[in-house]
Each structure stands twice: as structure tokens, then as C-alpha cells.
Amino acid sequence: TGEILPGAVDTQKYGADEALLSARYMIEGEDNTGKPCHVFIENNGVDGKLTPQIITDSEALHWLETKHLQATLEVTEKYVLITILCEGGQL
């Protein structure tokens, strides 16, 4: 659990043939063992197919740095929800 730190960047570019998304943000919080941690997420995508990359200082979450990840994006009037999937399972 955690909160996104100030300075996050989210850009979108729409062309005639494709929509590009690039987002980068740092989360500060606790990992699944209760230890404080930081998680940097870079999320790039084309036409809604998102591919996140993760870097973290958490020993418990370090395995995420080497996994093939995919993400889904849900946009409403009140929020944006990004769900990250790891080899068939939701994180």
C-alpha cells in the first residue's frame, strides 16, 4: 500500500493510427511484509496495451523487476485505475 509522490508524469499522444501513453510515478508506502518501501513504475503503451516496468528498494517486491508485466487501464470521471497483471495473475 502507498501513495503516489509528487512529480508523477502522464502523457498521451493521439495520432491517426494509434494512441500512445507514457506514465512514470513513484509510490512510497509499505510492501507486503509491512516494511517501508518505494516502487517506481514506468508504464508505456500503444492503443490501450500497457507494459509496465518496476524498480523497487523492497526485498519482498524485488522479483517484480524481472517479470513480464501487462496492465489494464480504466478511466472514469472520478479516477484512473491501472491494474497490473503478472503472468496471468493480478498484483
Side-chain angles (χ1 to χ4, degrees):
T1 60
E3 295 192 17
I4 297 173
L5 296 177
V9 176
D10 181 351
T11 58
Q12 300 170 27
K13 181 178 179 182
Y14 297 94
D17 297 333
E18 63 186 7
L20 303 174
L21 168 94
S22 178
R24 291 166 178 78
Y25 42 96
M26 178 74 74
I27 298 172
E28 182 177 58
E30 292 183 355
D31 65 19
N32 58 325
T33 68
K35 292 184 180 178
C37 71
H38 295 86
V39 179
F40 172 77
I41 301 174
E42 179 177 343
N43 209 354
N44 295 300
V46 177
D47 295 332
K49 296 176 183 171
L50 306 175
T51 306
Q53 292 183 303
I54 293 178
I55 299 172
T56 182
D57 59 1
S58 165
E59 288 183 32
L61 300 177
H62 180 71
W63 62 274
L64 291 169
E65 294 181 1
T66 60
K67 293 294 181 183
H68 176 70
L69 305 173
Q70 295 179 331
T72 60
L73 178 66
E74 179 183 346
V75 180
T76 72
E77 290 183 19
K78 296 184 179 183
Y79 63 85
V80 173
L81 176 65
I82 298 173
T83 303
I84 298 176
L85 306 167
C86 178
E87 299 178 329
Q90 180 176 329
L91 299 181

